[in-house]
Amino acid sequence: MQEVAEQLEAAIARAGAGPTTGSTRYRALVEAMDEAVCVFERLPLRPDGLRDYRYITMNPAMQAMFGIPDLSGQSIRDNFPDEVEDWYDDYDRVLETGEAIRFERGSIPQGMVLEMFVARIEDGSGRSLMAVIRDITWRRIDDNTLREREARQELLLRFSDRLRTLAAGPDVMRAACALLGEALGVDRVNYAEVEGEDFIIAHEHHREGLASMAGRYPASGPKTAERAALEAGRTVVIADVDAEPGLRPDQREVFRAWGVRAFVSVPLVKEERLVAVLSVIRSRAAPWRLHEVELVGEVAERTWAAVARVRSEKALRESEEKFRSLFETMTQGYCECELVRDESGGVIDCRLLEMNPAFERLTGLSAAQARGRAVTEVLHRAKPWWVKEFAEMVSDRRPRTIEREVPEQGRWYEIRAYHRDGDRFAALFSDTTERKRIDAALQASETRLRALVNATSEVVYRMSPDWQVMWELDGRGFVKDTHEATSDWLFAYIPAEDQPEVTAAIRQAIETKGVFQLEHRVKRPDGTLGWMFSRAIPLLDEAGEIVEWFGAASDVTPRRQAVEALAHTQRLKAVGRLAGAIAHDFNNLLTVIIANIELSEMRERAEEKTQFLDKALKAAQLGERLNQRLLTWAGQAPMQPKEVILNDLVTETGAILDRSIGERFTLSLDLAPDLWPCFIDPANVDSMVLNLVVNARDAMPDGGEIRLSTANVPAAEVPVQPGAAAAPGDHVCLCISDDGFGMSEEVRRRAFEAFFSTKEQGTGVGLGLFSVKTVVQQSGGFLEFDSAPGRGTTFRLYFPRTSGARDVTPLTEADTRQPPAPLTHPLILVVEDQKAVRDATRERLQSLGYSVVEAADAEEALGILRWQRDIRVVFSDVVMPGEMSGRDLAKRVLHDFPGVEVLLTAGYIAETSPKGVDDPTANVPVLIKPYRLHDLAAALRSLLAAHHTGTGG
């Protein structure tokens, strides 16, 4: 270059003119040169105080090198404002010293490395310079590339050495971020993990003063080209996010907010899924050099590999630790063995190679004693039964389970062996000696139990923990056997009406884990129903949970039948005793009736006749009450509650009982005046008083006083007992007390149980107090009692007071003597087998104005109906001789003779009930004997009126 400059300077000197002269010869010389040449001169300081130079001339070679037009006459600083001041320093030094200089420097505006020779032109101005320029960028690039590559390799080696010392994934990632941040001088390095569509920056290295970007960045909007490239495994290089067309505006806003202007992102893709991204970031826009991108990629690759290695090593360590922990702590014995072969290759023994502590504990052999030795060396007297088993297992490569006894140790072992490789195999074994002993004991116990079950007559069964499945049942002929599990046992063995009671008892037993105990009905193989007393206990496991139920049941049908027969006998005896007293009263009543009728016949005045007839009628009404009471005691009358005054009922019942309980007993009454009414069946009052008085009598074998009293109890004074179902408000109290021997605590606790009795066998069935409590509760009341040994017993029965709205006033004499008149004079057919009753009925109907025809039975009545077509009503007794009853006759009449009404009469309530819900006579009215003339007239009038209006049956 210097030679070129000297040649140019000599040429200028020969031309005899300076560069400012613009000689044609000079310009031709400069333009003809191959080297880039320019001549320029210093200008005065600019107004802004900066130095500046101006091109005098530049040859085409310079224009081509820089890709610029001819700038002759133009300011250098105006055309290259970004050039560094070092250039101007060098120009000024050459002008001031006159010494030419040669230097190499990069030109920022041109992006080139230049070699320049600058010399002063001695034209007398002291301001002119000449420069010869060469582009040496290629040479500098090659040198830089080599140096950069060597530095990168050294950096990567140091990084690899560093990674080998790291044992945790996070440490690897932090080291990678720090390395790239320091090597590239960037503002940020981020390591982000990918979850779904979200990026999570987990590790980061950033320049001091910048905020951390760590956190989750959810994906938003459509997928960008950048994201698609990363998912495809391609590195993303962006020099300016503002100029990048593949980014959305919202992404650019996020990048600007974090000061991200340029970045390189290298992805990690596993199994076609993006899992992580390593990114380097600059806060200014600038192109990325190739060696920088390559460095990021190589660091990322080493990072991914190191993370995978660390994770694999960690998994291996954890696996080894788990195996070692399992090996050391497992309760099963473990040993590794190999087959021992003879010279011909036949298997003759097994050698113990490795064993765990459980092996030592179970066999009593130490590892030091057994390791490396053949089994026959350790167990000298053992027969090598294992040789054949293990040789076959190794040969066919199939696991094998063996359970054998080792007599030398007196132990049983279960061995699970499986092949490893070659002649080596592993064996897991457990000591099953205790299980064998338990199995043997259990088998012996089951044998004894089965013998016991076979020897007993009890029904034996087994149930699942929740009773949903019956596992087994030996019915002993009483119920059907089942030896297979069944889930429909409840419907197969228990009647539908008894199932709620059985399931309730089962539910309580399961909840309490207690004994199931119940007496209930069962279906027998022949289709009949029997009674059994069943009792089952739960079998519990170690945790206290039910595993099954074991039960036994006995046939109590004969006992139940005997109890029912005895109860029936006792009831008959009671009826018999009371019937004597009632017969006495009936005789008295009949005496009164006969006497008054006779006296009425002896009187001539109508008033006197009426007086005696009224007395006879009242005596007959009392007889009706006595008859109803007898039916109640015999169980033939259902409840017919009505509003009553207890004083009246107690007085009447007491009068009868006073004559029947015996001469040693006194029955005293203390009845409250103005007693409130209550709603109850009068017959049940008689029954309750009877039961309690008889109990009081039996409690005083030497005689004594039995006290009956009544009282009004205001609401505020009604006693409240736990569980008592007392209605709120006022109550009426009936009290029965005695001075007998009283009850013990056990007797008091069971006093109201059905069939519980303290009386001698044959004298009571234990239903008295049970029936009293039942009647009281059905009437809406409750009861309480006090009793103690030697202090007697007091029962208090409480019944809710009624409002008094019900009519308790008896019919007046006028009502009795003036029955309703018939609507017309229809014809009535009377069907009654007893002539006396039939005659009386005929006369009563005729007295009411009805026409009457008679029949002695149903067949005769049907014959009359066939030819007597004007009969309006058939009035028949329910109970009659022959094949047809009164209700059967009613069915025929309703079916064969439309328009004929039917009225029935019966001796007691039980006779009035139809045989089923589909019985066509269900709506036929029934008069209960004895009935008043007024009742008969009203029933006929109502029946005929309903028929007349079209609403009759």
Side-chain angles (χ1 to χ4, degrees):
M1 292 180 65
Q2 186 173 356
E3 292 177 357
V4 172
E6 290 175 349
Q7 292 175 3
L8 181 61
E9 187 175 3
I12 295 173
R14 285 194 299 272
T20 58
T21 62
S23 67
T24 303
R25 186 177 179 183
Y26 165 75
R27 290 183 179 277
L29 178 62
V30 172
E31 292 178 359
M33 299 189 71
D34 294 330
E35 302 286 346
V37 178
C38 68
V39 177
F40 52 99
E41 63 180 352
R42 184 166 62 184
L43 298 175
L45 290 177
R46 292 162 59 97
D48 56 7
L50 295 178
R51 294 168 292 179
D52 198 0
Y53 282 77
R54 178 176 57 195
Y55 289 112
I56 295 175
T57 184
M58 62 171 59
N59 67 351
M62 180 175 175
Q63 297 174 31
M65 178 187 297
F66 291 114
I68 58 177
D70 185 4
L71 300 179
S72 299
Q74 297 185 28
S75 165
I76 293 178
R77 190 174 288 277
D78 287 344
N79 284 282
F80 303 102
D82 294 330
E83 199 67 272
V84 297
E85 293 297 315
D86 292 349
W87 295 88
Y88 297 101
D89 292 341
D90 291 336
Y91 300 158
D92 288 349
R93 186 166 62 252
V94 172
L95 287 176
E96 292 171 0
T97 64
E99 296 180 0
I101 62 173
R102 179 180 177 279
F103 60 87
E104 295 178 3
R105 180 173 294 139
S107 174
I108 292 176
Q110 304 300 328
M112 302 168 65
V113 178
L114 304 177
E115 181 184 20
M116 293 185 67
F117 181 83
V118 180
R120 187 175 66 184
I121 297 176
E122 300 298 337
D123 59 355
S125 66
R127 294 186 293 113
S128 302
L129 293 173
M130 175 184 62
V132 180
I133 308 169
R134 287 181 181 173
D135 181 3
I136 61 170
T137 304
W138 61 271
R139 190 179 70 198
R140 292 291 300 272
I141 289 177
D142 287 345
D143 293 342
N144 289 340
T145 300
L146 180 60
R147 286 193 296 271
E148 288 169 355
R149 186 170 299 166
E150 291 174 349
R152 185 168 74 244
Q153 291 302 322
E154 183 181 356
L155 182 68
L156 291 174
L157 287 173
R158 291 201 313 270
F159 182 52
S160 298
D161 292 340
R162 171 64 175 151
L163 292 180
R164 281 192 289 272
T165 66
L166 302 177
D171 294 339
V172 172
M173 299 165 194
R174 280 192 289 268
C177 293
L179 173 76
L180 288 174
E182 295 170 1
L184 299 179
V186 294
D187 298 291
R188 296 181 187 273
V189 182
N190 292 338
Y191 176 87
E193 297 176 346
V194 181
E195 288 187 3
E197 298 296 320
D198 298 351
F199 285 85
I200 302 174
I201 297 179
H203 304 283
E204 180 185 29
H205 174 84
H206 57 79
R207 181 167 50 80
E208 185 177 356
L210 295 180
S212 173
M213 291 181 66
R216 179 182 290 270
Y217 294 84
S220 61
K223 183 181 295 185
T224 62
E226 172 208 9
R227 177 64 181 259
L230 291 174
E231 292 179 349
R234 298 195 302 272
T235 299
V236 174
V237 180
I238 293 182
D240 186 354
V241 297
D242 289 341
E244 181 62 35
L247 297 178
R248 297 194 309 270
D250 60 311
Q251 288 181 300
R252 291 194 182 94
E253 289 299 325
V254 173
F255 286 141
R256 291 194 193 102
W258 286 104
V260 177
R261 292 294 305 277
F263 63 85
V264 176
S265 294
V266 180
L268 172 61
V269 177
K270 285 187 178 181
E271 298 178 355
E272 300 183 353
R273 186 175 67 85
L274 179 64
V275 295
V277 177
L278 182 65
S279 301
V280 294
I281 300 170
R282 286 182 180 144
S283 298
R284 58 184 177 81
W288 294 95
R289 300 178 65 183
L290 178 61
H291 80 276
E292 294 175 323
V293 176
E294 291 177 345
L295 178 62
V296 176
E298 290 177 345
V299 169
E301 290 180 3
R302 284 168 170 75
T303 301
W304 308 145
V307 169
R309 174 186 58 78
V310 166
R311 290 176 176 172
S312 298
E313 291 174 350
K314 180 181 178 183
L316 179 60
R317 286 195 304 272
E318 291 176 349
S319 176
E320 290 176 346
E321 290 172 0
K322 289 179 181 178
F323 174 78
R324 177 55 56 184
S325 175
L326 177 63
F327 186 80
E328 298 291 341
T329 61
M330 63 190 298
T331 59
Q332 286 184 300
Y334 174 84
C335 65
E336 292 191 10
C337 312
E338 68 177 355
L339 299 178
V340 178
R341 299 180 182 270
D342 58 17
E343 294 180 355
S344 64
V347 178
I348 59 174
D349 208 337
C350 300
R351 181 177 292 106
L352 302 170
L353 301 178
E354 190 63 51
M355 59 282 301
N356 69 343
F359 172 90
E360 301 177 85
R361 184 175 62 256
L362 292 175
T363 64
L365 301 173
S366 68
Q369 179 185 4
R371 186 178 290 112
R373 302 178 65 187
V375 177
T376 52
E377 295 179 37
V378 178
L379 301 175
H380 303 288
R381 294 176 297 170
K383 295 181 180 180
W385 53 264
W386 56 85
V387 172
K388 181 176 181 296
E389 298 280 359
F390 293 151
E392 291 179 355
M393 181 271 298
V394 170
S395 176
D396 60 25
R397 304 295 198 265
R398 296 170 61 185
R400 189 156 304 187
T401 300
I402 310 164
E403 187 171 26
R404 293 292 295 267
E405 182 183 15
V406 180
E408 295 77 13
Q409 295 183 323
R411 314 294 295 175
W412 278 84
Y413 296 102
E414 182 182 80
I415 304 171
R416 172 77 172 174
Y418 55 95
H419 179 256
R420 294 289 299 275
D421 59 80
D423 280 349
R424 299 187 67 173
F425 63 92
L428 285 169
F429 61 96
S430 305
D431 187 341
T432 59
T433 306
E434 183 64 16
R435 193 193 71 196
K436 279 287 188 180
R437 185 191 65 77
I438 293 174
D439 288 346
L442 179 60
Q443 184 175 3
S445 175
E446 289 181 347
T447 300
R448 291 193 297 272
L449 178 60
R450 179 57 58 186
L452 177 61
V453 169
N454 291 336
T456 184
S457 61
E458 296 282 304
V459 174
V460 180
Y461 58 90
R462 294 170 53 235
M463 306 296 296
S464 65
D466 58 1
W467 285 71
Q468 294 298 312
V469 179
M470 176 182 284
W471 287 340
E472 183 180 5
L473 183 142
D474 192 341
R476 302 299 181 190
F478 178 59
V479 291
K480 183 180 179 181
D481 295 344
T482 179
H483 299 293
E484 296 182 357
T486 176
S487 59
D488 62 347
W489 65 270
L490 187 66
F491 302 97
Y493 290 98
I494 309 299
E497 57 269 24
D498 294 357
Q499 290 175 11
E501 180 182 12
V502 173
T503 54
I506 291 172
R507 184 166 52 251
Q508 181 179 6
I510 293 174
E511 291 174 354
T512 61
K513 297 181 181 179
V515 176
F516 166 80
Q517 184 171 296
L518 185 66
E519 189 170 297
H520 59 87
R521 296 188 302 169
V522 292
K523 300 176 183 178
R524 305 188 64 173
D526 61 1
T528 62
L529 294 179
W531 283 87
M532 72 159 44
F533 176 73
S534 180
R535 191 172 188 272
I537 61 172
L539 303 182
L540 309 178
D541 60 15
E542 295 180 355
E545 298 301 321
I546 300 173
V547 294
E548 74 170 294
W549 292 81
F550 187 83
S554 55
D555 180 7
V556 296
T557 306
R559 178 176 67 79
R560 292 287 300 208
Q561 292 173 342
V563 168
E564 292 173 1
L566 181 60
H568 181 67
T569 300
Q570 293 297 326
R571 184 181 294 276
L572 290 178
K573 288 182 179 180
V575 171
R577 289 196 300 269
L578 294 174
I582 293 175
H584 179 271
D585 287 341
F586 263 118
N587 288 332
N588 289 340
L589 292 174
L590 290 174
T591 300
V592 173
I593 292 171
I594 294 172
N596 280 284
I597 291 175
E598 290 176 341
L599 291 172
S600 69
E601 292 175 346
M602 297 169 60
R603 295 297 189 269
E604 295 182 357
R605 293 174 54 194
E607 294 81 358
E608 293 180 347
K609 287 180 178 289
T610 300
Q611 181 180 0
F612 287 113
L613 290 176
D614 286 343
K615 290 179 180 180
L617 181 59
K618 289 180 180 179
Q621 290 173 336
L622 184 56
E624 178 186 359
R625 287 283 307 281
L626 290 173
N627 182 59
Q628 184 65 25
R629 188 175 296 118
L630 183 60
L631 289 174
T632 299
W633 286 328
Q636 296 296 321
M639 286 189 64
Q640 291 183 291
K642 59 182 66 177
E643 195 171 79
V644 299
I645 302 297
L646 283 180
N647 284 353
D648 301 337
L649 301 176
V650 172
T651 299
E652 293 178 6
T653 305
I656 298 174
L657 292 175
D658 191 32
R659 293 189 293 273
S660 63
I661 59 177
E663 298 177 353
R664 294 172 298 157
F665 300 92
T666 302
L667 189 66
S668 62
L669 304 181
D670 181 14
L671 307 180
D674 301 324
L675 190 69
W676 295 329
C678 59
F679 196 64
I680 190 172
D681 188 341
N684 281 335
V685 175
D686 295 338
S687 178
M688 289 188 296
V689 172
L690 169 64
N691 278 309
L692 294 175
V693 169
V694 170
N695 282 351
R697 180 200 65 184
D698 294 342
M700 299 184 294
D702 297 330
E705 182 183 11
I706 302 173
R707 295 173 294 279
L708 279 70
S709 63
T710 58
N712 293 326
V713 183
E717 301 176 12
V718 175
V720 178
Q721 294 178 322
D730 300 336
H731 279 66
V732 177
C733 178
L734 171 61
C735 178
I736 297 95
S737 61
D738 63 66
D739 298 320
F741 42 69
M743 304 182 196
S744 65
E745 177 62 29
E746 174 66 15
V747 174
R748 286 200 305 273
R749 186 175 62 83
R750 302 184 59 190
F752 296 104
E753 289 184 13
F755 301 106
F756 174 72
S757 176
T758 59
K759 299 176 182 179
E760 296 181 2
Q761 188 172 359
T763 62
V765 293
L767 291 173
L769 292 182
F770 174 78
S771 64
V772 170
K773 182 178 180 181
T774 300
V775 169
V776 171
Q777 291 177 342
Q778 288 177 343
S779 302
F782 67 98
L783 60 81
E784 62 178 10
F785 73 101
D786 299 321
S787 185
R791 293 171 50 187
T793 301
T794 299
F795 283 90
R796 299 180 185 86
L797 317 183
Y798 293 88
F799 302 97
R801 174 187 180 182
T802 58
S803 62
R806 299 180 179 90
D807 184 12
V808 296
T809 305
L811 292 173
T812 63
E813 295 181 3
D815 294 330
T816 303
R817 292 193 298 269
Q818 298 178 10
L823 297 175
T824 58
H825 298 280
L827 179 61
I828 296 179
L829 172 58
V830 176
V831 187
E832 171 62 58
D833 61 302
Q834 302 230 356
K835 186 176 185 305
V837 178
R838 189 167 64 245
D839 291 342
T841 303
R842 181 189 66 246
E843 292 176 359
R844 298 177 86 177
L845 290 172
Q846 289 174 346
S847 70
L848 291 174
Y850 293 102
S851 300
V852 180
V853 293
E854 304 173 39
D857 55 39
E859 292 294 341
E860 184 181 357
L862 290 173
I864 294 173
L865 284 168
R866 291 188 184 97
W867 59 266
Q868 190 80 35
R869 293 296 183 174
D870 55 348
I871 295 174
R872 295 286 303 281
V873 178
V874 174
F875 181 34
S876 174
D877 191 9
V878 172
V879 179
M880 288 190 300
E883 297 181 358
M884 294 180 63
S885 67
R887 195 167 290 278
D888 294 332
L889 173 62
K891 293 179 184 177
R892 290 286 300 275
V893 172
L894 295 176
H895 182 270
D896 297 343
F897 303 98
V900 178
E901 301 295 335
V902 178
L903 176 65
L904 297 176
T905 180
Y908 53 92
I909 295 294
E911 294 180 351
T912 67
S913 301
K915 300 304 181 183
V917 295
D918 297 329
D919 193 329
T921 66
N923 295 323
V924 172
V926 182
L927 279 177
I928 303 301
K929 298 176 182 178
Y931 50 83
R932 302 289 305 280
L933 182 62
H934 179 277
D935 298 329
L936 175 60
L940 289 170
R941 182 181 181 88
S942 175
L943 191 66
L944 292 169
H947 177 79
H948 181 72
T949 59
T951 60

